[in-house]
Amino acid sequence: MAKAQVNPEALRASFLAAAQEVLDGYGDLIDAVEAEETRMDRCDDCRSAARLEQLSR
């Protein structure tokens, strides 16, 4: 049986494409976490404002 020839440039391109997909996935995950942190910060701000309003009555 003959060994299959591997094109180093094609292998490199395939590896880089897969690595880019992984990095894109991590970027999407980081964006989602940051959005959730922002949402939670806003909720905390609203709760703090409501507490201050109750205390000022």
Side-chain angles (χ1 to χ4, degrees):
M1 283 192 139
K3 285 188 175 181
Q5 292 291 335
V6 176
N7 179 339
E9 286 303 313
L11 182 62
R12 180 178 183 274
S14 177
F15 176 79
L16 290 176
Q20 187 62 53
E21 285 186 39
V22 170
L23 291 175
D24 290 345
Y26 278 117
D28 293 344
L29 179 61
I30 289 169
D31 291 344
V33 168
E34 288 174 347
E36 183 64 15
E37 287 175 342
T38 298
R39 187 188 71 76
M40 293 191 68
D41 287 345
R42 287 183 185 146
C43 288
D44 289 343
D45 291 345
C46 291
R47 284 189 207 108
S48 296
R51 276 189 229 121
L52 286 174
E53 185 177 327
Q54 287 175 346
L55 292 173
S56 66
R57 290 182 184 171

